[in-house]
Amino acid sequence: MRNHLRAGAAPALLLAAAATGGTAQAAPGPDFQYVGQDDRVHGLSAPKGCVAAEGGGSRAVTNHTRGTATFYREPGCAGAPVERLGPGTVTQVRPYFASVRF
């Protein structure tokens, strides 16, 4: 099975959780999601390895996985990491990210 991010619904919930700066309660849906530069919510279930951020990753990011998500400005998880997000947390990754390693 190929890892890919897909657009979904629930931007209000995602943004509300990010605005509080705290952890969000797990809800049915993707294990990892973010609001892209395309203003759409993208999500991924059971992510593994390096994943491209379709839609250009930026703004609110939610990590409901059991591991750390490491963000990169370059495709293919190249270069130095720009942010790390622990399991069960929400944050903003600015100005953008192009890929994420799980």
Side-chain angles (χ1 to χ4, degrees), residues 19-38:
T20 64
T23 60
Q25 292 185 356
D31 298 319
F32 176 81
Q33 60 185 16
Y34 65 93
V35 177
Q37 293 172 339
D38 60 1

Side-chain angles (χ1 to χ4, degrees), residues 28-98:
D31 298 319
F32 176 81
Q33 60 185 16
Y34 65 93
V35 177
Q37 293 172 339
D38 60 1
D39 292 323
R40 297 181 73 182
V41 177
H42 298 268
L44 182 67
S45 295
K48 291 182 182 178
C50 182
V51 179
E54 294 180 17
S58 72
R59 299 190 296 198
V61 179
T62 303
N63 181 12
H64 288 301
T65 69
R66 293 183 180 190
T68 298
T70 304
F71 299 86
Y72 297 85
R73 296 237 195 286
E74 302 298 323
C77 298
V82 294
E83 182 78 49
R84 287 188 174 84
L85 183 58
T89 58
V90 176
T91 195
Q92 303 257 345
V93 177
R94 298 243 185 218
Y96 68 92
F97 57 96

